[in-house]
Amino acid sequence: MKRFGLTKETSRSIQRSKKILKFLFLFPFATFIMFFVPPSVRFVIGLIPMDKCTLESVKMLTSGNSADSSLDLWSRNDVQTCTSWKAPIIWEGMFNPSHFDQIHRNKGSSVALTVFAVGRYLDAYLETFLNSSEQHFMSSLPVSYYVFTDTPEKVPNIKLAPSRHLKVIKVERHTRWQDISMMRMKAISDVIESDIRHRATHVFCFDVDQVFTGRFGPEALGDSVALLHAHYYHLPKMLFTYDRNLKSKAFMKTGDFYYHAAVFGGSWGSVKALTEACYRNIMADKENQVEALWHDESHLNKYFWLHKPSRVLSPEYCWDTSIGYRRDIQMYRLLWAPKDYNNLRTSEITR
């Protein structure tokens, strides 16, 4: 059968070519930079200057965090220490750790940590993640761990410090890693409603394929907390990998920063609002047979564009050592673990 003079085989070939061209068009140049450029080029990227904080006084911050009155926004003239909406960006050298510890102990702050360990990612990363967290994550505050997994019986027995607890929640195994990545939003929202809101003042959500290597303390706490992506914080906005598909709820023409979905947090109410909104938009996309470019991370960036975070963490709080040396990264607090996606994503992935 012919259509407009073309054979069926030719028509199929044209359709395949269109799909390939569409992929190449959507595949951002910044992704090429992220994975394929040599260290020397990444070093040069690190020399691109960031914007600077223009506030004349720390009292002009709108974070709503009383401890922030002690922040030194001008101790780091090599980086951006506040946003255009007057939220702090937290870097080493800006804060007194003991002051933030004391303030949050006095306020009775407590933290819930959520992490997904599904399939092979549990064996590869969970034990190291939890052990390193016990050493470095909010060590001055009560912490409740919420481990989401499809194999609860395989969760390692970790020795926890006093006032720290661990709860295992069984979740469904999905065949595609993208579905696990996106469906975590609903799971987090549900457990906040059923449990976390009765136990913790704040929530932090992490990918499991990471290792804590330095202090990750109460200076990171805020009502709504986002993280600057390590590979993008020196790049111009035109290279940020926002979803450019007009049909997706995650569509963004521009934004403030590019945020990493490997770490986000805030008060339990704010995190619940974020995860509910992202889940609604993910499901709306599914109904329209659309999938955001970077899945839940695309929806997270859209949410933070519409609802500005009250606190932004520097890439110290989730660094990738493959980037190489950066003078502005004075401390590694959380590091990307080595990835082996060929094996880990054979049937499923985790966050």
Side-chain angles (χ1 to χ4, degrees), residues 255-323:
D256 302 305
F257 301 98
Y258 189 82
Y259 302 114
H260 196 177
V263 179
F264 62 92
S267 66
W268 68 259
S270 291
V271 176
K272 188 172 187 293
L274 181 156
T275 52
E276 286 178 343
C278 287
Y279 177 68
R280 283 196 304 269
N281 290 333
I282 288 168
M283 297 310 295
D285 275 1
K286 278 183 171 291
E287 289 180 6
N288 294 322
Q289 298 183 326
V290 175
E291 192 167 277
L293 180 64
W294 293 118
H295 315 107
D296 61 337
E297 186 166 273
S298 296
H299 290 283
L300 180 96
N301 271 273
K302 179 64 173 287
Y303 184 86
F304 280 137
W305 167 240
L306 297 176
H307 309 273
K308 309 296 188 192
S310 65
R311 198 172 205 78
V312 178
L313 303 182
S314 71
E316 299 168 358
Y317 288 84
C318 187
W319 184 250
D320 180 8
T321 55
S322 73
I323 294 173

Side-chain angles (χ1 to χ4, degrees), residues 20-188:
I20 292 172
L21 288 172
K22 182 179 180 181
F23 171 78
L24 291 174
F25 176 76
L26 291 175
F27 190 80
F29 176 68
T31 305
F32 174 81
I33 293 175
M34 182 172 173
F35 291 107
F36 302 111
V37 300
S40 58
V41 176
R42 292 179 181 174
F43 176 79
V44 172
I45 291 171
L47 299 178
I48 299 174
M50 300 181 72
D51 291 338
K52 295 297 184 286
C53 181
T54 59
L55 297 184
E56 295 179 357
S57 169
V58 70
K59 295 180 181 179
M60 298 175 70
L61 289 174
T62 57
S63 65
N65 190 333
S66 60
D68 286 348
S69 61
S70 66
L71 289 175
D72 187 349
L73 300 177
W74 304 274
S75 63
R76 295 292 305 271
N77 57 16
D78 56 329
V79 293
Q80 184 174 351
T81 58
C82 73
T83 69
S84 60
W85 60 93
K86 302 179 183 179
I89 304 176
I90 307 301
W91 298 83
E92 173 67 10
M94 283 179 56
F95 60 91
N96 181 333
S98 60
H99 176 71
F100 275 86
D101 288 345
Q102 189 62 49
I103 288 288
H104 280 277
R105 276 197 299 262
N106 291 344
K107 290 173 63 176
S109 298
S110 54
V111 185
L113 182 157
T114 72
V115 64
F116 282 66
V118 179
R120 297 174 183 177
Y121 268 56
L122 187 152
D123 295 325
Y125 297 115
L126 182 60
E127 185 169 5
T128 299
F129 175 87
L130 292 174
N131 279 325
S132 66
S133 175
E134 275 298 282
Q135 294 178 14
H136 301 291
F137 181 74
M138 305 291 170
S139 58
S140 62
L141 299 178
V143 172
S144 298
Y145 296 99
Y146 292 81
V147 177
F148 297 79
T149 181
D150 58 324
T151 52
E153 69 279 2
K154 295 177 68 176
V155 173
N157 185 20
I158 303 296
K159 184 178 180 180
L160 302 176
S163 76
R164 296 166 85 95
H165 311 278
L166 188 148
K167 184 172 184 177
V168 179
I169 301 171
K170 187 169 184 178
V171 293
E172 179 184 355
R173 177 182 300 197
H174 294 270
T175 56
R176 297 191 327 134
W177 67 267
Q178 294 94 334
D179 291 330
I180 295 172
S181 177
M182 292 188 290
M183 291 304 104
R184 69 168 177 158
M185 292 296 185
K186 184 178 189 308
I188 292 171

Side-chain angles (χ1 to χ4, degrees), residues 175-207:
T175 56
R176 297 191 327 134
W177 67 267
Q178 294 94 334
D179 291 330
I180 295 172
S181 177
M182 292 188 290
M183 291 304 104
R184 69 168 177 158
M185 292 296 185
K186 184 178 189 308
I188 292 171
S189 174
D190 287 348
V191 78
I192 290 175
E193 175 61 29
S194 65
D195 195 313
I196 290 175
R197 70 189 186 97
H198 304 293
R199 298 174 181 269
T201 59
H202 295 78
V203 184
F204 258 100
C205 308
F206 289 91
D207 283 1

